[in-house]
Amino acid sequence: MGQCGINSSKTVLVFLNLIFWAAAGILCYIGAYVFITYDDYDHFFEDVYTLIPAIIIIAVGTLLFIIGLIGCCATIRESSCGLATFAAILLLVFVTECVVVVLGYIYRAKVEDQVNHSIQKVYNQYNGTNFDAPSRAIDYVQRQLHCCGIHNYSDWRNTRWFKESKNNSVPVSCCQPSISNCTGTLTRPADLYQEGCEALVVKKLKEIMMYVIWAALTFASIQMLGMLCACVVLCRRSHDPAYELLVTTNNYA
């Protein structure tokens, strides 16, 4: 009966190691996605420490490749030392992912204040050229999020670019794609996106942080199961003389 329990735990362990390898790729992808998205929105969010959870996620993903290798070798070779190392590393990664969850919630709560603080400054730096980074960032956000201005398109009236251009229009990135020959003129407000960008940027950045949080929670749960199975195999091996004899016989064979 004990042998069946050990074999079941070993089977689960091997299966979990395969999941760890898949999880490693997923975590690295999520971390890279956060970096790429942050690059698109970095003008609206100046706190670079927001990237800490993404950095940790990528590091954990890389470590999971090593964990999977150690776990497979330890399970197949019936190594007590290897299984103990496997369980210890899983515990370390589990604690790290709990830290990621906490940091994710902390930085997620700071998103709105950061965007509110910086978005007005970015809009005032707009000059309408592709060579200017703030201008590219604003045009990108307005096209991607289907928004115009900070709260709505009328906010453009207060910008330096609007006052200097004196053509009573907003950037063409405010134009709805379904409207042909849209020039951004305020005399035809129905051609423009009606929603402001501030709320949508905040929503987008919070969604990104939630991806990190949910990924960390999901794989922390899987790692907890891995630690449990490793501990079961180790405990039963140490308390089951028949299993120890079987392992010794197999090794000599």
Side-chain angles (χ1 to χ4, degrees), residues 123 141-143 145-156 173-174 176 189 192-201 203:
Y123 268 81
V141 166
Q142 292 189 152
R143 290 193 178 99
L145 301 183
H146 297 173
C147 58
C148 184
I150 299 174
H151 303 103
N152 55 56
Y153 60 83
S154 65
D155 292 325
W156 278 102
S173 57
C174 283
Q176 299 186 44
L192 310 175
Y193 294 123
Q194 302 300 303
E195 194 169 358
C197 294
E198 183 179 47
L200 294 178
V201 169
K203 180 181 177 182

Side-chain angles (χ1 to χ4, degrees), residues 44-214:
F44 303 95
F45 199 79
E46 298 175 348
D47 190 355
V48 295
Y49 294 108
T50 310
L51 291 175
I52 290 177
I55 295 171
I56 296 176
I57 281 288
I58 292 175
V60 167
T62 304
L63 187 58
L64 279 179
F65 279 110
I66 303 172
I67 290 174
L69 182 61
I70 292 174
C72 277
C73 292
T75 304
I76 294 171
R77 294 171 61 87
E78 312 285 354
S79 170
S80 297
C81 180
L83 283 172
T85 303
F86 175 70
I89 296 176
L90 278 182
L91 178 61
L92 175 63
V93 174
F94 176 79
V95 172
T96 303
E97 289 187 331
C98 290
V99 172
V100 169
V101 172
V102 173
L103 289 176
Y105 274 109
I106 290 174
Y107 289 122
R108 188 174 183 271
K110 295 172 61 177
V111 164
E112 190 166 358
D113 289 338
Q114 285 283 330
V115 172
N116 291 344
H117 178 264
S118 60
I119 194 168
Q120 183 67 59
K121 180 175 69 175
V122 176
Y123 268 81
N124 283 331
Q125 292 174 344
Y126 186 86
N127 63 18
T129 65
N130 287 329
F131 302 103
D132 182 61
S135 299
R136 288 198 307 271
I138 289 174
D139 286 334
Y140 173 84
V141 166
Q142 292 189 152
R143 290 193 178 99
Q144 290 295 313
L145 301 183
H146 297 173
C147 58
C148 184
I150 299 174
H151 303 103
N152 55 56
Y153 60 83
S154 65
D155 292 325
W156 278 102
R157 296 180 185 273
N158 302 319
T159 63
R160 185 179 61 184
W161 174 82
F162 183 89
K163 295 172 182 177
E164 291 177 353
S165 61
K166 298 179 181 179
N167 58 6
N168 196 38
S169 66
V170 298
V172 293
S173 57
C174 283
C175 292
Q176 299 186 44
S178 58
I179 306 296
S180 59
N181 300 322
C182 175
T183 61
T185 178
L186 290 178
T187 58
R188 299 180 59 183
D191 295 354
L192 310 175
Y193 294 123
Q194 302 300 303
E195 194 169 358
C197 294
E198 183 179 47
L200 294 178
V201 169
V202 170
K203 180 181 177 182
K204 181 69 174 180
L205 291 172
K206 285 187 174 182
E207 285 178 355
I208 294 169
M209 295 308 299
M210 281 307 300
Y211 293 153
V212 174
I213 290 169
W214 280 112

Side-chain angles (χ1 to χ4, degrees), residues 31-53:
Y33 172 76
V34 172
F35 269 99
I36 293 170
T37 307
Y38 179 86
D39 187 58
D40 294 330
Y41 294 88
D42 62 346
H43 286 84
F44 303 95
F45 199 79
E46 298 175 348
D47 190 355
V48 295
Y49 294 108
T50 310
L51 291 175
I52 290 177

